[in-house]
């Protein structure tokens, strides 16, 4: 990045003003890092060829604080988070857009690091970042970097997933341990020096989701338990499918270090965000096949069957506790975990 | 909006936490306002059917300050701006995603007003907002509302537009008056009480662009002169097409009130952002047909031929001034117009 545009080493208002400095930043930083034939920085839009069929579209804004955390950063999160929402629709992600809101004074080295990990994450997930946007706001009107990604993917033939598809008797699986991302971010934010094993699970789930659908095309639905954690996803499924859900505390995969950190931080792992896990609901007769398919994938080795759907006019989510009691699992309340993604 | 979620009348951190309050805000405000069958708020992604073909994709973040200004607001801008970037690719926009970064303490009435104008703008443009996201940042870490929209559209058969397509001799047209948007926003920001005729030109250009392409399918390229104004677009075209461009000051449509306000504000209308205008480059023998097609559309009544491309190894943009002199039209320098869109 040797260029007049980068002389001061920080983002300036001029980098968002539509002139030479912005064009240089786009060309020499973003387009160079994202490196793919669909992104030239010369047009107002990207043009891609699509075969006929169903397309999945999803968007997320990323505002995580701090922007670097154990196991990832806002850039990797912005790519993986949107790849995952597209993949949860039974689609193979193809392309992403990426919009940046930068705060004046942001070190360009931080921006370059974030952009580098976006490029790396996109390569790993097999998607191209094909178009973007760069805005700059005055110091104190933003917070370093906000990124919005939007993803597009082709929905697989014969697959039709929906939060409404669950039926009593269906089985609920989770692809691995719960709470890692949220605890890693909160720990860093609060300045705790936890066990170095507590790192974000931030990862692209399209490979894992594809492996599950290959094995069990009858999968009813998939969700990634991000904000609001497993509790939010189960409540959304219960409402949309008009069922109750029963899960078993014993069956939930949670790292002991994460459980301990949750106690210190006053968090409940059921409500903590994950960024590399999926929840799947499958017909009961497919449950073991689904479990085996998840476990056979590097990102699903700790997958588990955690409960099942049942008839319940109240659409309650209940957990059988480790001590044999029962506990309601309600939505997250208030603002337990701000700016986690 | 009579609901516990809306009791305090302002955006709270809990509205972004992934729990009940967020779900209520999404359902009762966004999904209700954007009202279309593809947006239920129940899935992680929208699924749309697409015919085979080329798809145009574009994204923009919107951070305009103030969020309400004469002739529009950040919501209308967020819809029209992205519709326009898709339309400039020769595509008919189909769907948008919309991601919100809200600042804690934002009055819900302001949010509702912005969301209402997005819904209205989407209806006018004939697009659906099919998926979204809602994040909240702490007071002082954002600035009211930031919105990122991403748009998808089908590229018309037989049309192939690119900034690289210009050839010496081609004619440059603009669809109407220059500078209205930027002057309206800057005037409001600086507290000037200009002529009430100075309002943003914020509008969806897909109808106008379609009319031009119907009349002149050989159109080389279209651009909307937003940040950096006409000057930036002409320099981008000159570089990408490896040509020079000559324009005539006399031919530029500029409202007298805007010209006067520019003098007071110390702005040059060539560099001021527009949000409802397009620049088109067409082969010389099609120039009059193109002009007539633009003028026949309500948004193009003041269209004009403003200059032509020419061979120039330096790719300079030059203007013949009203007094018969010549002036270089370079890129915008520095941060003349921050947060204009
Ligand atoms: N951060 C980024 N990463 C990748 N590509 C980018 C980024 N910012 C801009 N681009 C690309 O650079 C080109 C110019 O973007 P720009 O935002 O100036 O265009 P525009 O949207 O037409 O203008 P405006 O944002 O003022 O409306 C586009 O091709 C865009 O995809
Ligand atoms: N501002 C909004 N406008 C329209 N739809 C929205 C908006 N915010 C969220 N939605 C919709 O609500 C649903 C839930 O969104 P949510 O952001 O909770 O899902 P997610 O992206 O899977 O979770 P996360 O953002 O925590 O990763 C989705 O269908 C989404 O399209
Ligand atoms: Mg544009
Ligand atoms: Mg998401
Ligand atoms: Mg842009
Ligand atoms: Mg999700
Ligand atoms: Mg734009
Ligand atoms: Mg989301």
């Amino acid at each position: 990045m040797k260029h007049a545009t980068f002389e001061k080493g920080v983002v300036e208002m001029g980098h968002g003003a539509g002139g030479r400095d912005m064009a240089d930043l786009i060309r020499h930083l973003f387009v160079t890092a994202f490196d793919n034939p669909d992104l030239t920085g010369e047009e107002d839009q990207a043009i891609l060829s699509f075969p006929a069929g169903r397309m999945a579209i999803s968007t997320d804004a990323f505002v995580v604080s701090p922007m670097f955390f154990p196991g990832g950063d806002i850039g990797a999160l912005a790519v993986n988070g949107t790849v995952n929402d597209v993949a949860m629709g039974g689609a193979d992600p193809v392309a992403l857009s990426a919009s940046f809101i930068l705060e004046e004074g942001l070190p360009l080295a931080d921006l370059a690091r974030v952009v580098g990990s976006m490029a790396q994450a996109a390569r790993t997930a097999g998607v191209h970042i094909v178009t973007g946007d760069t805005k700059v706001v005055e110091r104190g009107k933003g917070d370093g970097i906000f990124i919005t990604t939007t993803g597009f993917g082709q929905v697989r033939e014969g697959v039709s997933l929906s939060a409404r598809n669950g039926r009593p008797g269906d089985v609920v699986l989770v692809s691995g341990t719960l709470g890692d991302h949220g605890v890693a971010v909160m720990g860093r934010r609060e300045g705790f020096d936890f066990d170095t094993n507590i790192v974000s699970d931030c990862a692209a789930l399209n490979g894992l989701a594809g492996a599950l659908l290959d094995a069990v095309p009858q999968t009813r639905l998939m969700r990634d338990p991000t904000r609001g954690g497993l509790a939010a996803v189960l409540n959304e499924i219960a409402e949309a499918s008009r069922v109750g859900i029963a899960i078993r505390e014993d069956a939930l995969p949670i790292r002991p270090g994460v459980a301990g950190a949750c106690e210190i931080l006053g968090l409940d792992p059921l409500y903590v965000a994950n960024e590399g896990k999926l929840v799947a609901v499958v017909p009961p007769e497919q449950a073991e096949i689904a479990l085996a398919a998840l476990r056979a994938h590097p990102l699903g080795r700790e997958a588990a069957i955690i409960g099942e759907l049942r008839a319940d006019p109240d659409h309650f989510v209940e957990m059988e506790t480790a001590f044999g009691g029962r506990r309601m699992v309600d939505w997250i309340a208030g603002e337990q975990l701000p700016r986690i993604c």
Side-chain angles (χ1 to χ4, degrees), chain A:
Chain A
M1 293 203 304
K2 279 208 189 85
H3 200 281
T5 307
F6 308 123
E7 238 165 41
K8 296 202 181 141
V10 296
V11 169
E12 300 166 64
M13 293 305 293
H15 287 126
R20 191 79 255 178
D21 290 343
M22 186 176 89
D24 285 339
L25 184 72
I26 292 171
R27 192 171 304 176
H28 297 296
L29 180 62
F30 295 106
V31 173
T32 304
F34 297 155
D35 183 33
N36 69 75
D38 294 312
L39 177 68
T40 62
E42 279 180 358
E43 314 289 344
D44 285 2
Q45 67 297 115
I47 306 229
L48 305 183
S49 288
F50 262 78
R54 290 170 300 158
M55 189 172 64
I57 306 172
S58 192
T59 192
D60 265 333
F62 294 86
V63 300
V64 63
S65 170
M67 73 175 94
F68 301 104
F69 48 79
D73 62 30
I74 191 171
L77 209 60
V79 168
N80 291 330
T82 291
V83 161
N84 293 349
D85 278 329
V86 169
M88 296 302 97
D92 293 307
V94 171
L96 296 181
S97 66
S99 244
F100 293 77
I101 299 174
L102 307 175
E103 188 190 9
E104 179 187 20
L106 173 77
L108 283 168
D110 286 349
L111 178 60
R113 190 173 153 199
V114 166
V115 169
S117 52
M118 292 182 76
Q120 178 59 50
R123 269 193 300 274
T124 305
V127 297
H128 283 169
I129 297 170
V130 297
T131 190
D133 186 58
T134 311
K135 296 288 190 296
V136 180
V137 297
E138 303 87 345
R139 220 179 277 266
K141 299 294 184 182
D143 195 15
I145 307 184
F146 299 146
I147 306 173
T148 295
T149 49
T150 306
F152 325 93
Q154 289 172 244
V155 182
R156 293 180 167 215
E157 281 293 325
V159 166
S160 177
L161 309 176
S162 165
R164 297 189 185 185
N165 284 352
R167 304 184 203 164
D170 284 351
V171 170
V172 183
L173 297 99
V174 63
S175 65
T177 56
L178 297 171
D180 303 65
H181 173 74
V183 168
V185 174
M186 289 302 285
R188 170 60 50 93
R189 196 188 301 166
E190 307 289 327
F192 284 103
D193 199 17
F194 292 137
D195 182 347
T196 50
N197 287 324
I198 301 186
V199 297
S200 170
D201 56 354
C202 182
L205 295 170
N206 47 335
L208 181 67
L212 174 61
L213 292 175
D214 284 343
V216 184
Q218 309 92 325
T219 297
R220 309 271 200 217
L221 66 97
M222 295 187 290
R223 301 299 280 256
D224 58 336
T226 51
R227 282 181 293 173
L230 180 67
V233 159
L234 295 180
N235 276 284
E236 285 162 16
I237 295 170
E239 260 186 41
S241 288
R242 313 186 62 73
V243 296
I245 301 182
I247 60 170
R248 285 174 302 280
E249 189 168 25
D250 271 348
L252 299 178
I254 298 173
R255 286 186 212 293
V258 168
C262 274
E263 267 181 38
I264 296 170
L265 291 165
L267 300 174
D268 180 335
L270 281 178
Y271 295 91
V272 174
N274 311 278
E275 292 289 345
K277 299 292 153 45
L278 64 79
V279 172
V281 174
V282 302
E285 60 279 9
Q286 309 287 332
E288 288 300 330
I289 303 172
L291 184 65
L294 291 174
R295 287 196 173 159
H297 191 280
L299 291 174
R301 272 197 282 261
E302 294 165 291
I305 289 175
I306 62 168
E308 53 278 320
L309 274 47
R310 57 184 188 181
D312 174 1
D314 291 321
H315 315 148
F316 284 151
V317 179
E318 276 190 345
M319 182 164 76
E320 189 182 303
T321 68
F323 308 105
R326 294 195 164 278
R327 179 191 135 188
M328 282 280 298
V329 179
D330 209 343
W331 293 85
I332 201 169
E335 44 165 310
Q336 201 186 359
L337 287 164
R339 304 218 15 219
I340 210 69
C341 62

